[in-house]
Amino acid sequence: MPGNKTDAIDVRNAVKRYGDFTALKRISLTIKDNEFFTLLGPSGCGKTTLLRMIAGFEDVTEGEILLFGDEIESLPPHQRPVNTVFQNYALFPHMTILDNVAFGLEMRGKSKSAARKRAGEMLELVQLSQFAARKPSQLSGGQQQRVALARALAPQPKVLLLDEPLSALDLKLRKQMQLELKHLQRETGITFIFVTHDQEEALTMSDRIAVMSAGEMQQLGTPTEIYEQPRNMFVADFIGETNLLEVSVDQVMNGRAVCHLGGGHALTCNSVDGIGAGAKVHMSVRPERLFMSDVPVEAESLKGRVAENIFVGTDISTLVDLAEGPQFIVRTSNSDRGNKRIFEPGSEIFVNMELGAGRLLMD
Amino acid sequence: MAHVNENIKTYKGFRAITLLCLVVLYAPLVIVTIYSFNASQSITNWEGLSFRWYADVFTGPESAKFKSAAFNSFTIAIMAATASTMIATLAATAMVRGGQFKMRTVSFGLISLPLMVPEIVTAVATLIFFNAIGFTRGYLTILVAHVAFCIPFAYLPISARMQGIEDSFEQAAMDLYATRRQAFTKILMPLMAPGIISGFLLAFIVSLDDFIITNFVKGAGVETLPTAIFGSVKQGIKPNIMAISTMLLSVSIVMVTISYFVSKSDSTK
C-alpha cells in the first residue's frame, strides 16, 4: 500500500524483537506533518526503541516505517532526512560549538563557509552566538541542550526526534525549555517526535500523545482526550493523579451508568460502549473534579471523614475515608477557596462528584 | 574507634617501607646515572666529572657496534610500534564496537594471553617457528617478532580508551549524515587519539627494551641496543655501558612525559 505523502511518519505493524524478548508488539501509528507528537510511557515501554527505529539505529524486525510516503526502514541512518537530539546530547567533545552545529551541513555536502554561516544563524536562534568558539565541556547543561537542538535542526530535517532531552535539566530550566521547544516547533514548522516518561511534560507540549506500556500502544489522542477520557486502567493511572475505584455497574440507561462502590455508595457516570450492567470494572475520578460539603448536596453525596490535608502549593489535597469503602483524594485549588470549603481532619463531611467526572475503564 | 579518614602517614612503618621501596627501585638508576659522568676507568671509584664515556660511546672502539645497534633498535621500535598500534586499533574497534559476536571472549583472551606467557617460552617458540618455515634470522625476524609481541601492549590503552567513549557520538555523527567511515575518521579517531598515542609509546618502549625474544631471533651480527649492551657487559662492565644506559633511560623518561601530557590534554573530560 503506497504511503500518504502528507503524513510525516507512518509506522505500520512495527515489531522489534531482541532474541526471545519482544520490545515492540505490532505498533501502528501515523504522525502528521508539522505535529508535536509525544511517545509517553514508563522506562522499558518501547518508546525509545521506536524512536531509534525511526532514526535508523535499530533494525525493524517486522513492519514498515514511511517518511512522507517513502519506506525508510531499510536505509542506514545517514540516508534518512531525520535528525536526533540525544538524551546525553552527544556533542562532539573535540569540536567547537560552531563546528558541532556545522557538522551535519558539511556532511550533506555544503562548503565549510556556507555550513558555518548557517550554523551561526542556528546559534543565533538558540541565543548562543557568543559561545560559538567554545568547546561543549565549557557550557552548562542547559546550553549544551540548546546546542544539541541547533545541531539537529541545522540541516533542516523533515522530522526531528527528541530522546528525553530535558531529563538532565533541573525543574525550572526544564519548564523553560518545554516552552522554548514548543515555540521552536511552531517557528520551524518541523514535525517533532518527543520521547518522555514525564506525563506533565507530555501534556504541556504535545499536539498528540501516544501512551505506551510493555511494547504496546495504550492510547493515542490529544492531551485533553488522554487526561479526561483515559481508555484503560494504565492510562488513567499513569497520567496525572486519580481515584481508581472498583465498581460494579448496576444499570445502564440513556448513556448513563449507575455504579456501586460498596458500603451502599453509588455514583453515576457516562456509560462506555462495551461495559454493560453487571460488569465489574474500574472508575477513574480526578481529584480536582470532587468537592466537599458539610451537608449532602445531591442524592449521590458520599459520607466520609477527613483524614488529612496536604498542602501542595497551588492546591490542597484532602484524604477522605468513606464510612465503608475506599479512600478518596479530593483536590481543592487555592484559587477556588471562595466557593469550596476545606475541612479540618476528623470532620464528618460529604464528597460530591461533578456531573460527568467519573470515567469507566476497560482493564 | 579508628578515624575513617586517618592520615596514611600515621600508620606505623609507613615511612620505613616507603623509603625501602624507593631505595631499591631508584638507587641503582641514580647511581648508574651519576657514575656515567665519572672520569675514572673504574666503575666504583669517583674521580671527577667528565663526559668522556659519552664521547666513548660515539667515538670509542665500540662506537660502530653501538651505532648500528641503536639504528636497529630505533628503526625496529618505530616500525613495530606503528604496525602493532594499527593492528591493535582495528582489534579494539572490532572488540569494543563490533557488537556481540561469537568468540568475543575467546578473542579477548587470545589478544591478551601473550602478556601472561613467560617471555622465554615465546622466545623459544618464535625461534622454532622461524626455523620451521625457513625464515633466515636477521633484522626482519626481529621486526616480525616485535610487531607480534607489541600488539597486546598497544591494545590495552587503546581498548580502555575506546570503552570510555560512548557510542552515541558515532550515532550522532551518522544521524548527521556521516557515513560509517566518516564517523570513524572524523569522530571516533580524534577521540581515540590519546589512547592510540599511549598505545604507540608503550609498544615503542617495550620493543626498544626487549632482550629475551630479540636475543633468540636475531641473526649473527645483527644487534639491538639491549643485546649489544649485554654482549659488551659479558666482557666486563665498563663505564661506557653506564652512559648508554643513562641515554636509554632518558628516552624512556621523555616517552613517559609525553604520554602524561597527552592524557592530560584529554578533550573529552
Side-chain angles (χ1 to χ4, degrees):
Chain A
M1 191 171 67
N4 187 339
K5 289 280 179 202
T6 60
D7 289 332
I9 291 283
D10 193 357
V11 178
R12 292 178 178 172
N13 299 314
V15 177
K16 178 68 191 179
R17 281 190 214 99
Y18 299 100
D20 293 337
F21 174 69
T22 307
L24 277 187
K25 299 166 188 163
R26 217 160 281 287
I27 295 270
S28 292
L29 59 87
T30 304
I31 298 167
K32 294 179 214 138
D33 190 15
N34 201 5
E35 191 171 30
F36 198 123
F37 191 91
T38 298
L39 297 169
L40 172 67
S43 60
C45 72
K47 58 190 191 298
T48 298
T49 305
L50 180 56
L51 194 80
R52 289 172 62 81
M53 279 159 69
I54 298 172
F57 302 133
E58 302 280 354
D59 295 333
V60 180
T61 313
E62 274 175 44
E64 290 126 48
I65 297 174
L66 283 76
L67 177 80
F68 287 100
D70 300 320
E71 280 195 35
I72 57 164
E73 76 272 358
S74 53
L75 295 178
H78 72 271
Q79 287 175 13
R80 301 186 188 198
V82 299
N83 290 146
T84 308
V85 177
F86 290 83
Q87 188 168 12
N88 58 2
Y89 317 141
L91 298 177
F92 307 132
H94 59 298
M95 294 186 189
T96 63
I97 298 305
L98 189 69
D99 286 342
N100 260 282
V101 179
F103 187 85
L105 297 158
E106 276 180 52
M107 291 299 110
R108 276 206 136 174
K110 283 216 178 204
S111 72
K112 198 152 185 121
S113 61
R116 288 198 159 172
K117 187 163 172 289
R118 165 107 180 112
E121 290 164 13
M122 289 311 297
L123 284 179
E124 223 162 276
L125 184 68
V126 296
Q127 294 152 21
L128 285 175
S129 303
Q130 69 271 37
F131 298 114
R134 300 227 185 141
K135 292 279 179 69
S137 59
Q138 295 169 293
L139 267 57
S140 72
Q143 290 166 338
Q144 291 185 23
Q145 160 71 70
R146 284 208 183 90
V147 176
L149 207 54
R151 183 177 71 175
L153 283 171
Q156 287 171 307
K158 289 189 171 165
V159 173
L160 185 74
L161 310 173
L162 302 107
D163 184 10
E164 307 215 22
L166 306 182
S167 58
L169 306 179
D170 63 50
L171 185 65
K172 203 165 176 187
L173 198 53
R174 196 155 71 220
K175 297 257 181 207
Q176 187 191 330
M177 281 306 294
Q178 287 172 7
L179 291 178
E180 274 188 43
L181 274 179
K182 182 116 183 140
H183 291 156
L184 211 53
Q185 195 266 328
R186 292 276 171 274
E187 267 173 57
T188 56
I190 292 172
T191 308
F192 279 31
I193 305 179
F194 189 90
V195 161
T196 184
H197 63 268
D198 183 335
Q199 43 98 11
E200 209 182 314
E201 196 165 277
L203 293 175
T204 312
M205 304 167 71
S206 319
D207 293 323
R208 285 195 306 154
I209 300 171
V211 184
M212 293 177 66
S213 160
E216 286 175 301
M217 189 149 66
Q218 303 297 326
Q219 189 168 1
L220 179 71
T222 64
T224 321
E225 283 167 1
I226 300 271
Y227 187 78
E228 291 183 350
Q229 295 152 41
R231 203 169 65 97
N232 60 23
M233 284 265 289
F234 177 83
V235 178
D237 198 28
F238 189 72
I239 312 286
E241 198 178 12
T242 197
N243 292 292
L244 273 182
L245 312 168
E246 277 179 46
V247 298
S248 58
V249 181
D250 199 37
Q251 63 174 111
V252 177
M253 224 169 66
N254 301 331
R256 312 285 289 163
V258 180
C259 308
H260 282 287
L261 42 149
H265 301 293
L267 283 173
T268 301
C269 66
N270 292 328
S271 63
V272 168
D273 284 343
I275 300 179
K280 293 204 181 298
V281 291
H282 283 83
M283 184 196 288
S284 160
V285 188
R286 299 291 182 191
E288 71 272 17
R289 306 290 299 270
L290 295 168
F291 62 95
M292 295 171 289
S293 58
D294 49 2
V295 289
V297 296
E298 54 192 67
E300 289 187 340
S301 292
L302 307 166
K303 194 170 171 9
R305 180 197 294 269
V306 174
E308 203 178 345
N309 283 315
I310 302 158
F311 178 70
V312 286
T314 53
D315 304 308
I316 290 174
S317 287
T318 307
L319 303 183
V320 180
D321 292 319
L322 292 201
E324 266 175 78
Q327 188 179 57
F328 272 75
I329 305 172
V330 180
R331 185 175 298 161
T332 313
S333 166
N334 280 325
S335 64
D336 215 9
R337 294 277 284 279
N339 306 321
K340 295 179 182 173
R341 283 183 63 186
I342 301 292
F343 295 88
E344 290 303 310
S347 312
E348 299 280 344
I349 52 108
F350 291 89
V351 173
N352 314 285
M353 185 174 80
E354 287 174 24
L355 199 66
R359 170 88 185 162
L360 291 180
L361 306 169
M362 311 272 191
D363 278 334
Chain B
M1 291 302 286
H3 208 261
V4 180
N5 287 323
E6 210 163 355
N7 192 322
I8 184 126
K9 285 182 202 154
T10 62
Y11 282 95
K12 267 186 195 161
F14 166 73
R15 272 165 207 281
I17 293 171
T18 308
L19 269 176
L20 182 70
C21 291
L22 287 176
V23 165
V24 172
L25 276 172
Y26 290 107
L29 292 177
V30 172
I31 289 168
V32 162
T33 307
I34 292 171
Y35 273 82
S36 70
F37 295 103
N38 193 355
S40 165
Q41 278 275 3
S42 152
I43 57 164
T44 47
N45 298 329
W46 180 259
E47 279 181 16
L49 193 67
S50 154
F51 285 95
R52 65 177 283 205
W53 298 114
Y54 286 90
D56 185 80
V57 167
F58 291 102
T59 56
E62 288 183 299
S63 65
K65 180 176 122 188
F66 285 140
K67 268 183 201 160
S68 97
F71 175 82
N72 289 343
S73 265
F74 280 95
T75 51
I76 287 171
I78 288 169
M79 286 191 282
T82 307
S84 60
T85 303
M86 287 196 293
I87 295 168
T89 304
L90 296 177
T93 309
M95 291 292 290
V96 182
R97 288 293 195 266
Q100 286 296 328
F101 54 92
K102 267 188 194 172
M103 314 286 284
R104 194 166 175 276
T105 316
V106 177
S107 304
F108 178 74
L110 286 175
I111 292 171
S112 40
L113 191 65
L115 295 174
M116 268 122 357
V117 173
E119 202 181 340
I120 186 74
V121 175
T122 310
V124 172
T126 312
L127 174 64
I128 293 170
F129 172 71
F130 282 142
N131 278 343
I133 63 170
F135 207 155
T136 319
R137 281 185 286 155
Y139 185 90
L140 211 54
T141 47
I142 303 176
L143 179 60
V144 171
H146 279 221
V147 170
F149 76 67
C150 281
I151 289 171
F153 290 96
Y155 175 80
L156 290 180
I158 293 172
S159 78
R161 174 77 194 169
M162 202 177 234
Q163 273 160 0
I165 301 171
E166 290 173 58
D167 55 6
S168 61
F169 291 127
E170 293 138 272
Q171 284 180 0
M174 288 191 274
D175 188 63
L176 291 162
Y177 313 108
T179 60
R180 196 172 271 277
R181 176 188 287 270
Q182 284 170 322
F184 184 77
T185 56
K186 287 183 185 292
I187 304 300
L188 193 55
M189 281 301 278
L191 294 178
M192 292 275 296
I196 292 176
I197 293 170
S198 294
F200 177 87
L201 293 177
L202 191 57
F204 182 88
I205 294 279
V206 167
S207 164
L208 193 68
D209 172 62
D210 181 74
F211 174 74
I212 300 177
I213 294 174
T214 311
N215 200 38
F216 272 72
V217 300
K218 78 186 177 68
V222 182
E223 302 284 351
T224 64
L225 275 175
T227 62
I229 290 171
F230 183 73
S232 200
V233 167
K234 274 201 291 195
Q235 283 130 40
I237 302 178
K238 282 197 300 164
N240 62 348
I241 296 301
M242 298 199 198
I244 288 190
S245 302
T246 306
M247 287 190 276
L248 267 179
L249 182 64
S250 316
V251 171
S252 293
I253 291 172
V254 168
M255 294 287 178
V256 170
T257 312
I258 293 173
S259 177
Y260 173 77
F261 281 111
V262 163
S263 58
K264 264 202 102 172
S265 67
D266 187 343
S267 59
T268 61
K269 298 269 161 71

